Amino acid sequence: MTERTRPSGVAIGQERPGPASGRVLASVQDLRIHFRTKAGLVHAVDGVSFDILDGEALGLVGETGCGKTVTARSFLRLVPMPPGVHAGGRVLFHGRSGEEAVDVMTAPEARLRDIRGNRIAMIFQDPGKALNPALPIGDQIAEVLYAHRTDEVLRRAGVDPTDGSVAGHLLRRMANQRTRHVETLALRSPGVRAGARRVRAVVEEWVIASLAETRIADPRKIMKSYPHELSGGMKQRVMIAQALACDPELLIADEPTTALDVTIQARILDLIRELQARHRSAVLYISHDLSVVKRVCDRVAVMYAGRIVETRDSEDLFRAPLHPYTRGLLAATPSHREERVRLAAIDGTVPELIDPPPACRFHPRCPHAAEVCTVIDPPLRTPHAEEGEVACFLYQTPDEVGVEPEQMPTLERTR
Ligand SMILES: Nc1ncnc2c1ncn2[C@@H]1O[C@H](COP(=O)(O)OP(=O)(O)OP(=O)(O)O)[C@@H](O)[C@H]1O
Ligand code: SF4
Ligand SMILES: [Mg+2]
């Protein structure tokens, strides 16, 4: 693996698992995903860059329509193209094992299959839609194991994965679900029947253990159920069990609790945090709700209108948000009710992402906007005396930007 590490240390919250090594596990570099629509080209993700460190929980937050899901789905190349267009940039998966980084956006499909659901897994907002209604829960989790853990399944069943005999070949085909009809019949022959039974038993126990980890009651019964027989919270636990069955290096959770009621939300959040610590996976946690992210994440990336506007350690960001948009978002969370007044100052909605102008996209809503903000797009920079990055001229000097002081915004000046 690349030895790239993040230059500055990352604060590890006492109660959180935190980044294991500071190594970069995955990095999004200047990613641009656009959509062709009748109205024009929608710049949904427009120059997004951030790193995910091994073992950390990184939150990706922002209002609806700012590009969080498109960014998240890009990690598994799940954005439909067309209408999507990969207009530039990379999503590099460095992984833990030392091999060369893979650019998910351009990797061959076979390479991607090895990563998807195995090394990078995803939990979706609506588990009802993500699960197959026609298959029992257990079969759906087993599919992931058959697809990605053939050798491990065979070893646990007492079969040498390198066994080149006919029986070994048949069992290997069975353990990755590639059997044709004639092979299924051959698996019933006395020489291989016992091995086939052991393989099935191993997969079944593995599925039960994965479900039990999510503290689902009676996993043996649940694995035989169909999705429609389960509540929303249970379906989400099944999704989590399926996502973690292969011990992924990176788990992507896109608004995993939004469809659930509040008490279940808290339990699912705690479960994700606990399982992350046990599996030592990195997590990209997507939410429009900063209070949720505060509960789960070590670092936070704030997205606005297809761009990252601030990336900081969670503690720093919640103590002293820098970007005016982050301040507004934070002021809107219940624990910062006293700041609600300020939110009125950044009223408005996310701008149209068709042909956005080369300026700060937040300027129509920003209380501090100045002349430079309406003509130049602020780059992400590490602010003076702070860690992390912010894209705002409030934290740059006129010399750095190349304009006159009176053209620059100041925190004191509001409009
Ligand atoms: N298949 C598509 N065709 C056209 N436009 C799309 C498509 N998918 C997403 N978009 C557009 O891309 C932009 C970003 O969408 P995305 O779903 O990533 O937002 P989001 O931040 O996840 O919002 P939410 O919080 O509502 O989930 C939006 O303007 C959306 O309309
Ligand atoms: S001060 Fe200027 S650059 Fe910073 S967020 Fe406001 S409009 Fe954008
Ligand atoms: Mg979304």
Side-chain angles (χ1 to χ4, degrees):
M1 191 189 98
T2 165
E3 281 303 309
R4 285 188 63 200
T5 55
R6 195 164 168 253
S8 55
V10 173
I12 302 176
Q14 277 188 334
E15 76 286 10
R16 294 187 184 119
S21 60
R23 275 190 190 164
V24 176
L25 184 71
S27 38
V28 179
Q29 298 179 349
D30 198 24
L31 184 66
R32 291 165 200 273
I33 308 279
H34 302 164
F35 290 96
R36 285 189 213 288
T37 67
K38 280 188 186 138
L41 198 60
V42 178
H43 294 231
V45 171
D46 211 20
V48 163
S49 301
F50 62 89
D51 290 336
I52 303 178
L53 308 185
D54 192 9
E56 80 167 339
L58 175 70
L60 185 61
V61 293
E63 284 167 296
T64 185
C66 70
K68 303 183 296 294
T69 294
V70 173
T71 304
R73 284 178 166 260
S74 298
F75 278 87
L76 294 173
R77 210 162 78 202
L78 289 178
V79 177
M81 296 197 186
V85 180
H86 174 213
R90 310 193 290 176
V91 179
L92 293 180
F93 182 60
H94 303 281
R96 278 183 191 149
S97 56
E99 82 272 48
E100 209 180 312
V102 181
D103 179 5
V104 173
M105 298 308 297
T106 54
E109 194 56 39
R111 188 85 181 82
L112 208 56
R113 268 199 301 274
D114 170 51
I115 292 176
R116 230 186 239 151
N118 180 26
R119 303 183 64 193
I120 305 179
M122 191 154 175
I123 314 173
F124 299 91
Q125 178 172 356
D126 187 348
K129 281 194 192 137
L131 291 168
N132 182 342
L135 268 188
I137 296 303
D139 290 9
Q140 301 192 45
I141 300 176
E143 262 179 13
V144 188
L145 300 172
Y146 282 128
H148 299 298
R149 288 293 182 270
T150 310
D151 286 4
E152 177 74 22
V153 165
L154 288 172
R155 259 194 299 273
R156 288 193 193 185
V159 180
D160 176 3
T162 60
D163 182 354
S165 67
V166 174
H169 172 76
L170 279 173
L171 289 170
R172 169 166 275 282
R173 299 268 299 171
M174 177 191 173
N176 59 21
Q177 282 195 316
R178 294 239 177 97
T179 44
R180 288 192 294 264
H181 183 60
V182 60
E183 290 170 328
T184 311
L185 293 178
L187 283 163
R188 292 189 197 141
S189 67
V192 282
R193 200 162 46 204
R197 213 181 297 127
R198 284 201 307 275
V199 167
R200 282 193 206 97
V202 162
V203 172
E204 188 173 309
E205 284 311 312
W206 198 327
V207 168
I208 290 167
S210 302
L211 285 169
E213 248 204 319
T214 69
R215 291 209 219 89
I216 222 163
D218 202 352
R220 275 178 201 279
K221 188 172 153 214
I222 295 295
M223 67 183 282
K224 299 201 166 60
S225 318
Y226 287 84
H228 73 268
E229 296 174 289
L230 306 181
S231 68
M234 276 163 90
K235 275 190 275 219
Q236 199 51 284
R237 281 173 200 263
V238 168
M239 283 286 300
I240 294 170
Q242 189 182 38
L244 293 179
C246 286
D247 233 352
E249 290 152 69
L250 173 60
L251 175 68
I252 298 175
D254 188 359
E255 307 257 13
T257 61
T258 313
L260 306 175
D261 71 49
V262 178
T263 48
I264 315 258
Q265 274 185 19
R267 277 189 234 141
I268 295 284
L269 281 180
D270 290 345
L271 179 69
I272 290 175
R273 227 173 69 181
E274 180 198 319
L275 293 179
Q276 184 212 358
R278 196 176 309 151
H279 288 256
R280 302 212 58 81
S281 311
V283 173
L284 178 64
Y285 196 100
I286 291 148
S287 180
H288 57 267
D289 185 345
L290 268 176
S291 61
V292 166
V293 162
K294 186 177 186 181
R295 194 172 173 138
V296 186
C297 298
D298 304 295
R299 281 195 310 136
V300 182
V302 181
M303 216 171 159
Y304 184 77
R307 293 278 174 85
I308 299 290
V309 295
E310 181 164 358
T311 308
R312 315 261 306 285
D313 281 354
S314 197
E315 262 180 54
D316 294 344
L317 183 126
F318 285 101
R319 182 182 39 79
L322 296 178
H323 197 281
Y325 177 61
T326 315
R327 291 172 188 224
L329 270 188
L330 198 56
T333 62
S335 55
H336 289 75
R337 240 178 241 127
E338 70 281 5
E339 302 225 2
R340 266 178 186 276
V341 151
R342 258 205 267 163
L343 189 65
I346 60 156
D347 226 357
T349 52
V350 179
E352 193 61 71
L353 293 178
I354 296 170
D355 298 326
C360 174
R361 290 185 186 177
F362 190 57
H363 86 260
R365 301 171 76 187
C366 181
H368 307 289
E371 191 185 336
V372 65
C373 312
T374 64
V375 285
I376 304 178
D377 191 11
L380 264 179
R381 291 278 180 271
T382 300
H384 303 284
E386 292 281 354
E387 290 192 357
E389 291 180 312
V390 60
C392 174
F393 291 124
L394 284 169
Y395 307 98
Q396 290 190 34
T397 62
D399 282 351
E400 283 166 341
V401 187
V403 295
E404 298 301 321
E406 55 277 15
Q407 295 174 294
M408 292 289 281
T410 65
L411 276 171
E412 294 72 40
R413 199 163 54 221
T414 55
R415 57 182 189 182

